[in-house]
């Protein structure tokens, strides 16, 4: 026996119940029973509870003849089709990235890739500071001579990320000037000087960090490998990516408003399946690929013709290595793809958020 029901509340919320033999699915949660009779009894009981709570059977709601909707059976079959294609969608839309694996070490060289520690810095240059003159601390340094090649990232040189750590800002974030690099800095040295006599080696001027995701004086060496990540559902591009991939379903012409609403709800159901299966895989430290988010994607508010769509660097909270961004948050650095091709790191979007 198969039965499908969709209920609506205040025309804003929707829930569904599906009976299939000995199984009942309610809001994506599967309930298994030893007999069809038990399953049907639970199905009917769930319906009565929803009606008591003020939900309305969508089939009992009058609709305009010119504003047709899918039947519950049609919507459920469409959902089952989408659910069966989650892996296919991920395979088709995933992006490669360089996974960063930190490890404890007693010492790193000035040229070495690292989290924290002391940077490679030529003596003849001015060390980066905040507007009040406070020196910034090195968050991370990537020597591309040590990494696998990844399209669009440099093949050589040293890329550095500095942040203000005095506690006057949240990890060096200036919300008023997100691109100005006033309390953070991204520096790139395309041809590192290998003569240590030409490098700064006295860093006694650096302040003790007060607001820093790394433990004070902790320095981690880094290993690298190429992996692949799907896109986060928090990514501002996710909805358009989903609808363009399942073009035949979501981008039909001349749809009624009711059917458009049903398709949006269908997309929400797909997203729940996607999150359960793949969202965890976005955790970790990386160069390139898709970013992880613990709150909404801030980049959409900064679209200037070209978005900050390349993830330059992600440092995640990592208990194993004593890296904590607030309440288990994540720090991300984004750049416009055209600027990256020019190796121009003067405009980088730095974001931080926690749970």
């Amino acid at each position: 026996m198969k039965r499908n029901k969709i209920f609506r509340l205040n025309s804003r919320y929707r829930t569904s119940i599906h009976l299939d033999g000995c199984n009942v699915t309610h809001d994506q949660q599967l309930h298994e029973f030893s007999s069809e009779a038990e399953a049907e009894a639970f199905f009917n009981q769930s319906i009565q509870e929803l009606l008591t709570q003020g939900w309305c059977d969508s089939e009992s709601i009058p609709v305009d003849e010119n504003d047709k909707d899918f039947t519950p059976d049609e919507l459920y079959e469409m959902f089952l089709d989408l659910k069966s294609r989650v892996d296919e969608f991920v395979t088709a839309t995933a992006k490669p990235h360089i996974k960063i694996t930190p490890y404890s070490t007693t010492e790193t060289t000035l040229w070495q890739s690292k989290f924290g520690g002391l940077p490679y810095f030529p003596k003849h240059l001015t060390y980066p500071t905040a507007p009040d003159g406070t020196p910034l601390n090195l968050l991370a340094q990537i020597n591309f001579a040590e990494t696998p090649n990844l399209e669009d990232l440099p093949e050589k040189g040293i890329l550095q990320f500095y942040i203000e750590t005095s506690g006057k800002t949240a990890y060096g974030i200036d919300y008023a000037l997100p691109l100005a690099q006033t309390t953070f800095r991204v520096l790139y040295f395309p041809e590192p000087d290998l003569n240590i006599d030409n490098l700064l080696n006295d860093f006694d001027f650096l302040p003790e960090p007060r607001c820093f995701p790394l433990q004070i004086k902790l320095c981690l060496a880094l290993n690298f490998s190429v992996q692949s990540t799907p896109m986060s559902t928090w990514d501002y591009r996710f909805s358009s990516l989903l609808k363009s991939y399942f073009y035949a379903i979501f981008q039909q012409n001349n749809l009624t408003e009711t059917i458009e609403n049903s398709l949006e709800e269908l997309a929400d159901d797909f997203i729940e399946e996607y999150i359960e299966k793949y969202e965890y895989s976005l955790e970790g430290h990386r160069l390139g690929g898709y970013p992880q988010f613990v709150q909404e994607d801030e980049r959409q508010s900064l679209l200037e013709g070209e978005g900050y769509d390349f993830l330059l660097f992600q440092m995640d909270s990592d208990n194993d290595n004593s890296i904590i961004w607030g309440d288990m948050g994540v720090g991300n650095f984004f750049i416009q793809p055209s600027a990256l091709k020019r190796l121009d790191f003067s405009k980088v979007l730095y974001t931080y958020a926690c749970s």
Side-chain angles (χ1 to χ4, degrees), residues 52-86:
T52 301
Q53 294 165 10
W55 292 80
C56 297
D57 184 341
S58 63
E59 291 179 297
S60 69
I61 300 174
V63 295
D64 191 312
E65 274 299 313
N66 298 317
D67 199 14
K68 297 292 186 183
D69 194 4
F70 298 109
T71 67
D73 288 347
E74 288 172 333
L75 278 172
Y76 189 54
E77 288 303 315
M78 292 166 71
F79 167 70
L80 292 179
D81 178 54
L82 287 180
K83 181 179 178 180
S84 70
R85 298 176 65 186
V86 171

Side-chain angles (χ1 to χ4, degrees), residues 26-268:
H26 185 192
D27 268 349
Q28 316 309 321
Q29 184 174 357
L30 177 64
H31 304 270
E32 298 178 286
F33 298 90
S34 57
S35 69
E36 290 190 1
E38 287 180 309
E40 185 175 11
F42 179 81
F43 177 81
N44 291 329
Q45 178 186 346
S46 299
I47 288 175
Q48 291 305 312
E49 289 176 355
L50 286 171
L51 292 173
T52 301
Q53 294 165 10
W55 292 80
C56 297
D57 184 341
S58 63
E59 291 179 297
S60 69
I61 300 174
V63 295
D64 191 312
E65 274 299 313
N66 298 317
D67 199 14
K68 297 292 186 183
D69 194 4
F70 298 109
T71 67
D73 288 347
E74 288 172 333
L75 278 172
Y76 189 54
E77 288 303 315
M78 292 166 71
F79 167 70
L80 292 179
D81 178 54
L82 287 180
K83 181 179 178 180
S84 70
R85 298 176 65 186
V86 171
D87 293 343
E88 169 197 325
F89 173 72
V90 167
T91 299
T93 59
K95 275 187 176 182
H97 70 272
I98 297 176
K99 178 183 177 180
I100 305 173
T101 304
Y103 63 94
S104 297
T105 184
T106 56
E107 188 177 0
T108 58
T109 71
L110 293 176
W111 299 270
Q112 192 172 342
S113 298
K114 63 187 76 175
F115 286 174
L118 302 176
Y120 162 91
F121 205 86
K123 287 180 178 178
H124 70 279
L125 298 178
T126 302
Y127 190 88
T129 62
D132 64 0
T134 303
L136 307 182
N137 288 89
L138 180 70
L139 176 69
Q141 174 171 289
I142 306 297
N143 187 333
F144 286 102
E146 302 170 352
T147 71
N149 289 335
L150 186 71
E151 186 176 3
D152 295 324
L153 282 173
E155 295 182 2
K156 63 178 183 176
I158 291 177
L159 184 64
Q160 299 173 329
F161 302 86
Y162 295 84
I163 63 173
E164 190 269 337
T165 64
S166 69
K168 296 177 182 177
T169 62
Y171 303 111
I173 296 284
D174 185 343
Y175 294 101
L177 299 167
L179 301 172
Q181 297 198 31
T182 54
T183 49
F184 78 94
R185 201 85 82 250
V186 179
L187 301 179
Y188 177 62
F189 301 95
E191 301 286 348
D193 190 335
L194 301 182
N195 186 345
I196 196 168
D197 293 334
N198 296 331
L199 303 182
L200 195 62
N201 56 22
D202 181 1
F203 292 92
D204 288 344
F205 62 89
L206 289 178
E208 285 288 316
R210 295 182 180 178
C211 182
F212 199 46
L214 298 164
Q215 278 192 349
I216 294 175
K217 296 184 179 179
L218 175 68
C219 180
L220 298 168
L222 309 176
N223 284 327
F224 303 96
S225 61
V226 175
Q227 295 195 6
S228 186
T229 46
M231 182 185 283
S232 169
T233 57
W234 287 97
D235 195 302
Y236 81 92
R237 301 164 295 175
F238 184 84
S239 179
S240 59
L241 180 69
L242 170 64
K243 291 174 182 178
S244 63
Y245 187 82
F246 295 108
Y247 183 88
I249 295 176
F250 292 106
Q251 298 191 3
Q252 305 172 56
N253 293 322
N254 302 317
L255 297 179
T256 68
E257 181 179 352
T258 301
I259 285 182
E260 285 183 351
N261 290 338
S262 291
L263 290 177
E264 288 297 326
E265 292 163 351
L266 186 65
D268 290 342

